[in-house]
C-alpha cells in the first residue's frame, strides 16, 4: 500500500467534500497514524482513549458521531465491539484513484491557484539566505555569553560587547550593519586584550612617572 498516494488522494477528497469539518480531518489523521503503526492491515483495533487524545476530541459522543459520519461518507468502516471488554475495529477505505488521475486532480485543484494580490515575481524568486542565517546578530544575550564561554573569553567583556552593540543596533560605527557578530566579538576581544596589555605596561613603568611620588610633601611650607 502506497501510503503517500493514499494520503494525497484523501487530501484531494477532503478538499472537495463540503460535509467535512476539522473534527473529521483530525480523527481521520489519528486513525491513519494507528493504521500506519499497525503496518496497514485490512482492519485494526481502535482504542477510543488514544484516538481521542491524538485527535484532540474531548467528548465521547463527538468521537462516536465523527466515526459514524466518516463511515457514512465512505472514508472508513467502523466495526463496534459487541462487548465492553472488547475493542472496536476500524478499516480505512483504500478506494484511491490511480496515481496519474490523482496528479491530474491535484493540479486542477492546487496547480492553477494563485492569489491575485501576490505578484508573479514572487513565484519566480529563488531562495536567498537572509542576514539572520548569516549570523548578523545574536538571538539573545545568553547566546553571546555561551559563545564567549566556549572561547574562554572574559565574561565581563561579553556583557560589555552585547550592551554596546545592542544599544547601537548592531552596527559598526553606528552605520555599517554587522554581517557576522561572532567575528565582531573576536575583534572586540583582540582590542580588549591589547588595551589590557597597554595598561599593564603602564603600571609596570609607573615608578618612572614624574607625576607619581614616593615621599610625602608638606605643602604648608613656604617655597
Amino acid at each position: 500500500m502506497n501510503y503517500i498516494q493514499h494520503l494525497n488522494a484523501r487530501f484531494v477528497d477532503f478538499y472537495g467534500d463540503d460535509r467535512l469539518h476539522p473534527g473529521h480531518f483530525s480523527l481521520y489523521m489519528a486513525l491513519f497514524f494507528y493504521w500506519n503503526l499497525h503496518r496497514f492491515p485490512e482492519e485494526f483495533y481502535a482504542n477510543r482513549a488514544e484516538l481521542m487524545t491524538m485527535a484532540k476530541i474531548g467528548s465521547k459522543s463527538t468521537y462516536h458521531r465523527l466515526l459514524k459520519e466518516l463511515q457514512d461518507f465512505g472514508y472508513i468502516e467502523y466495526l463496534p465491539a459487541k462487548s465492553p471488554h472488547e475493542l472496536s475495529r476500524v478499516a480505512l477505505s483504500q478506494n484511491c484513484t490511480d496515481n496519474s488521475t490523482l496528479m491530474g486532480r491535484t493540479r486542477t485543484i492546487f496547480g492553477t491557484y494563485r492569489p491575485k494580490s501576490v505578484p508573479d515575481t514572487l513565484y519566480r524568486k529563488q531562495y536567498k539566505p537572509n542576514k539572520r542565517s548569516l549570523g548578523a546578530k545574536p538571538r539573545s544575550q545568553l547566546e553571546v555569553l555561551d559563545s564567549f564561554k566556549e572561547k574562554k573569553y572574559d565574561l565581563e567583556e561579553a556583557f560589555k560587547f552585547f550592551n554596546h552593540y545592542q544599544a547601537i543596533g548592531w552596527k559598526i560605527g553606528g552605520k555599517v550593519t554587522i554581517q557576522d557578530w561572532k567575528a565582531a566579538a573576536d575583534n572586540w576581544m583582540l582590542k580588549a586584550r591589547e588595551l589590557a596589555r597597554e595598561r599593564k605596561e603602564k603600571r609596570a613603568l609607573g615608578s618612572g612617572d614624574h607625576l607619581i611620588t614616593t615621599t610625602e610633601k608638606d605643602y604648608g611650607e613656604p617655597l
Side-chain angles (χ1 to χ4, degrees):
M1 204 283 295
N2 188 324
Y3 73 93
I4 295 178
Q5 182 179 339
H6 177 96
L7 268 185
N8 286 340
R10 282 294 167 259
F11 288 149
V12 171
D13 292 335
F14 291 167
Y15 181 88
D17 195 338
D18 295 332
R19 300 169 298 178
L20 302 175
H21 59 69
H24 295 108
F25 186 85
S26 63
L27 180 55
Y28 187 89
M29 294 308 297
L31 290 168
F32 183 86
F33 173 81
Y34 283 99
W35 189 37
N36 185 4
L37 202 63
H38 290 86
R39 297 184 181 276
F40 306 107
E42 291 186 4
E43 60 184 45
F44 60 96
Y45 289 108
N47 186 306
R48 187 190 66 228
E50 292 181 356
L51 286 168
M52 288 178 63
T53 300
M54 174 70 71
K56 307 306 178 188
I57 299 173
S59 167
K60 293 180 183 178
S61 60
T62 300
Y63 167 78
H64 287 292
R65 176 177 59 80
L66 293 173
L67 272 179
K68 185 177 183 305
E69 290 175 347
L70 284 174
Q71 177 173 251
D72 293 342
F73 299 158
Y75 293 110
I76 69 170
E77 182 179 359
Y78 177 51
L79 306 170
K82 298 179 180 180
S83 166
H85 304 290
E86 297 179 358
L87 291 174
S88 300
R89 292 170 295 160
V90 175
L92 270 66
S93 172
Q94 300 187 43
N95 296 327
C96 299
T97 56
D98 63 86
N99 194 52
S100 59
T101 304
L102 172 63
M103 293 306 295
R105 291 174 62 192
T106 303
R107 291 191 186 97
T108 301
I109 295 173
F110 302 106
T112 58
Y113 173 74
R114 181 174 298 175
K116 294 181 180 179
S117 60
V118 180
D120 293 342
T121 54
L122 182 61
Y123 292 91
R124 297 193 299 267
K125 184 177 180 181
Q126 296 181 349
Y127 171 77
K128 294 181 180 179
N130 55 31
K131 292 182 179 179
R132 186 64 155 189
S133 64
L134 295 176
K137 63 180 180 179
R139 291 185 293 269
S140 65
Q141 188 181 67
L142 181 60
E143 186 179 15
V144 173
L145 291 172
D146 288 340
S147 179
F148 272 63
K149 185 176 180 180
E150 181 182 354
K151 295 182 179 181
K152 296 184 179 311
Y153 290 163
D154 187 351
L155 292 184
E156 183 178 353
E157 292 295 332
F159 287 105
K160 292 179 182 179
F161 170 79
F162 179 83
N163 292 336
H164 173 77
Y165 283 109
Q166 184 73 4
I168 61 175
W170 295 92
K171 294 182 178 180
I172 299 174
K175 297 180 180 179
V176 182
T177 301
I178 291 176
Q179 298 298 316
D180 187 339
W181 72 266
K182 291 187 177 181
D186 290 336
N187 290 335
W188 177 279
M189 286 306 304
L190 287 173
K191 186 65 176 178
R193 288 172 175 174
E194 182 181 345
L195 292 174
R197 185 170 57 253
E198 290 177 358
R199 287 194 296 269
K200 185 176 180 180
E201 292 175 353
K202 287 181 178 179
R203 284 195 297 270
L205 298 174
S207 58
D209 193 331
H210 297 292
L211 297 179
I212 300 177
T213 60
T214 56
T215 59
E216 295 183 1
K217 183 175 181 181
D218 184 1
Y219 290 95
E221 295 181 0
L223 297 176

